[in-house]
């Protein structure tokens, strides 16, 4: 699996193109639909619309998943995704 990193505050055009390209190749794409790594494992934030638009454009299903995480793990990697 090779990640597609989107930098906060940057244009998402290249990110969307990369995701749609992978979907057209039949590859799976995992995303945080909240647009971030959540701060609380007990609650879900509002989903961003981009996930739904990309799934519709790629004609692929959205399969909801829950990742039970240890806060310390995501604290360590969070800086990578800024």
């Amino acid at each position: 699996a090779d990640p597609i990193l989107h930098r906060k505050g940057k244009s998402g055009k290249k990110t969307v193109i990369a995701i749609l390209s992978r979907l057209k190749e039949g590859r799976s794409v995992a995303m945080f639909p909240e647009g971030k790594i959540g701060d609380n494992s007990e609650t879900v934030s509002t989903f961003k619309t981009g996930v739904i638009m990309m799934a519709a454009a790629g004609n692929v299903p959205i399969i909801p998943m829950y990742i039970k995480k240890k806060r310390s793990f995501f604290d360590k990697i969070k800086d990578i995704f800024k």
Side-chain angles (χ1 to χ4, degrees), residues 70-81:
K70 291 188 178 243
R71 180 78 253 154
S72 60
F73 171 75
F74 282 108
D75 285 343
K76 290 177 186 174
I77 68 163
K78 209 169 191 176
D79 289 339
I80 295 171
F81 298 102

Side-chain angles (χ1 to χ4, degrees), residues 34-51:
E34 298 159 290
K36 63 181 179 176
I37 297 171
D39 294 326
N40 182 337
S41 63
E42 301 299 320
T43 60
V44 177
S45 297
T46 304
F47 284 13
K48 303 291 185 182
T49 58
V51 172

Side-chain angles (χ1 to χ4, degrees), residues 18-29 58-61:
I19 290 169
L20 291 176
S21 174
R22 289 184 188 187
L23 292 174
K24 287 178 184 177
E25 293 170 0
R27 297 170 63 186
S28 296
V29 176
N59 197 31
V60 296

